[in-house]
Amino acid sequence: MEPSDVSPFGNPDGVVGPFEHDADFVLLDRKYGAAARPAVESSRTRVIAGAQGAGKTLLLRRLNEHYRNQPSVYSVATFKGRELDTDSVVKFSQLFPRTTNAEKWTLLWDRAIHASATTHLLHDAEHFGDVDPDLRDELEELLGSGFRKVKSPHDPISVAGQLVRSISSPEDFEKRIFNESWTDLADAVRRALRHSRELYLFVDAIDDNYRYAPTYWQQCQRGLFHAVMDTQRTEVEASKLHVVISIRDLTLSSVAQSEHAPRYFNNDSIIALTWSWSACKEFFAQKLTHLDPSHFRQSNEKTLAAFLGTATILNETRGMEESVEQYLLRHTRQSPRDIISLGNALVVMAKQKGKPLWELDQADIRNEVAAASKTFARAALAQAGNQVLANVMPWNASRHSFSDYYLGTDEYTADAMVREVSSVLLTLPGERITHDQRLALEAEAESRFGARCHFIDVLWQNRIMGVSDHGAARFYGGALTDEVAVPTADFYVLHSLFLDALPAVPLNSSVPVFPGGALDD
C-alpha cells in the first residue's frame, strides 16, 4: 500500500515524517480551550506540557519551522536525543534525598543549557559570526573547566547526559556542578549574546523514556522546567536565549503543588495541551476534511456518519445505540495520537476487506475499534505498572545494582506489569465503585506491590480511573490546576476504554464511562 493508503489521517508520531502545515497541524478555534491556545508564532513560549500523544512534538516542530525562517534568529531542534537514558536518570536521582531531587536536576540543566549555548557561540560561525577573540578564549577556558572542551555544537540533552554519567556520588556533584567556572560561564554567555543573533534551543526527546520510570523522569523534567523558567530572569537571556521544551502534563501539575505555583498561573510562556471532549470531536472532524472523497458515502459530505455509513452504532454489551462519535472517541485516551491511529486502522481494515468503510457491517467496525482500544489500554496499563514499580523501588536500588528489577525497560517486564495491574483491576466489583470499595482496591494493590505503591493515584494520573463528580465522570485532565492525587469522592469510575482489555469487570453503570459523560445516579 502507498503511505496515503495506510495513514490517511496522518502520522501518529509527530517526530517522524514530512511536516505539512495544513494536513498535519490542526489549529482549533479558541472556543475549544487549551487545545486551541497555542500561539505558534509567540516568542514568549517556553514550555509545552501535555500527555503522551497530545501533540507536543508537532507543536515544537511548527515553532522550530517558524523560527528557522527568521533572519534575526538561529533555531536548533533536538527531537531524537538518546544521550539521557532511564538508567542514568535513576542513578543520578538516587544520589540525593527525594526532597532535594528536583533542585539538583535544576542546577544540572542550568549548566547543560549554558554549556550548549556556549558550544553554538564558539563553533557555529556561520550563524553567529566571529566572537570577540578575548571573549572566545574566555568561553573556551570556562567551558573546559566546567564541562569539557568540544569541537562542535552540542545540544542541552547531550550535555546533560554527559554530566549525569560523570557524577557517581554527591561529592562528584559538588565538584562538577558547583564549580565556580559555571557562574563565570553564564556571565560570559550573556556578554556574548548581547552582540549575537537570538538563539532558540528546542528540547523534546526527554519525554520518550518517561513510561519506563515516570517517578524519576518527572523529577528530571521538573528540574528542566525550573531551569528554563530561570533563564527568563535576566534581560539578555530573556531576549536572546530561548529554550523551548516539552514535558508531561503530570510534571506541570506537580509543579503546581509547590510553593512556587502562583507565579506560573496564567503565565503566557506555558502552553498546557489539554484536550476536552469537544476539542477531540473537532480534531476528528478536521482530520476527516483532509481525506479523499472516496472514503465517504456521499463524496460532498465529509462527516463521520458518511465515513462509517451510519450515525449510530449498537453497543451490544449494554444493549443501547451510541453515536459513532461517542463510540469512537471513548475508545481512545482522548488524544490526537489515538484518534489518528484509530482512523488509520479503520481505513486499513476496509482496504483489506476490499470495501469502503461505509459498506462494512457494524460488527467489523466494533472489532477493529476493540482491537485498537486494547492497544491504547495496554500502553496506559504498562506505564501505570512501571510507575507503581518506581514508587516501591528502594531509594538506594541503583547503588546496589538491582534497579533493573524495578524498571520496565523491556517487553517482558512491560507484559508482566500489564498482567499485574490488570489482575488487581479485575478484583473490581464493577466499573463504578464506592469509597469503601476504593479502599479495598488499594489494600489489594498494597498486598501485592507494597505500601508505597499509591495505586489509586497512579490510576488517576494515567486516566484509568476517575471520579463521579456532580453526575458526570471526571478524569485527570493535565491542566496546571489539576490534582496529582485522586480527589476524594463518593464514587470512582473505570474508563470504558479499558473494558475491552478487562472484559471480566462487571458493568454496573447503565451508560458508558468517559470524561465528561453523564452518569446514572
Side-chain angles (χ1 to χ4, degrees), residues 33 80 127 160 262 417:
K80 293 185 179 181
H127 295 100
M417 287 313 301

Side-chain angles (χ1 to χ4, degrees), residues 60 175 197 388:
L60 279 176
K175 291 177 183 177
R197 301 169 72 181
V388 166

Side-chain angles (χ1 to χ4, degrees), residues 36-80:
R37 182 185 168 195
V40 296
E41 298 177 359
S42 172
S43 62
R44 291 279 299 159
T45 300
R46 292 295 181 274
V47 178
I48 300 171
Q52 183 182 28
K56 303 186 296 296
T57 294
L58 204 58
L59 179 53
L60 279 176
R61 289 182 70 187
R62 173 122 183 190
L63 283 165
N64 181 46
E65 286 287 316
H66 170 73
Y67 288 114
R68 283 179 62 185
N69 296 320
Q70 304 298 313
S72 62
V73 305
Y74 177 49
S75 179
V76 183
T78 305
F79 294 114
K80 293 185 179 181

Side-chain angles (χ1 to χ4, degrees), residues 301-369:
E301 184 185 343
K302 291 188 174 183
T303 64
L304 199 50
F307 180 59
L308 294 178
T310 178
T312 62
I313 192 165
L314 177 64
N315 182 329
E316 291 185 314
T317 307
R318 298 181 194 272
M320 61 179 287
E321 290 282 334
E322 286 187 72
S323 71
V324 290
E325 195 174 63
Q326 174 178 298
Y327 185 79
L328 294 184
L329 289 179
R330 72 174 179 81
H331 280 90
T332 72
R333 288 169 290 179
Q334 211 166 310
S335 71
R337 179 178 295 172
D338 283 8
I339 293 170
I340 291 169
S341 296
L342 179 57
N344 288 338
L346 287 167
V347 171
V348 170
M349 181 265 292
K351 290 278 185 184
Q352 292 171 342
K353 291 183 177 294
K355 293 181 179 180
L357 265 172
W358 43 269
E359 286 186 6
L360 295 180
D361 294 334
Q362 286 197 6
D364 293 322
I365 296 173
R366 284 195 295 268
N367 290 338
E368 191 61 38
V369 171

Side-chain angles (χ1 to χ4, degrees), residues 114 138 182-192 194 237:
H114 286 101
E138 183 181 355
W182 286 112
T183 303
D184 295 334
L185 180 66
D187 178 69
V189 167
R190 286 190 283 271
R191 281 184 278 128
R194 284 194 182 97
E237 290 185 358

Side-chain angles (χ1 to χ4, degrees), residues 90 94 98 216 389-400 402-403 405-406 452:
V90 171
Q94 292 197 343
R98 296 175 191 262
Y216 293 90
L389 280 183
N391 286 345
V392 300
M393 178 167 60
W395 197 245
N396 62 349
S398 65
R399 278 176 268 176
H400 296 283
F402 61 92
S403 59
Y405 175 80
Y406 292 91
R452 298 193 311 273

Side-chain angles (χ1 to χ4, degrees), residues 277 318 320 326 432 467-474 493 509-521:
W277 189 261
R318 298 181 194 272
M320 61 179 287
Q326 174 178 298
R432 187 182 187 192
V467 297
S468 177
D469 197 8
H470 303 295
R474 180 167 71 91
V493 289
S509 173
S510 63
V511 293
V513 176
F514 57 89
L519 296 173
D520 50 350
D521 294 328

Side-chain angles (χ1 to χ4, degrees), residues 3 8 73 131 207 340 370 447:
V73 305
V131 177
D207 188 56
I340 291 169
S447 72

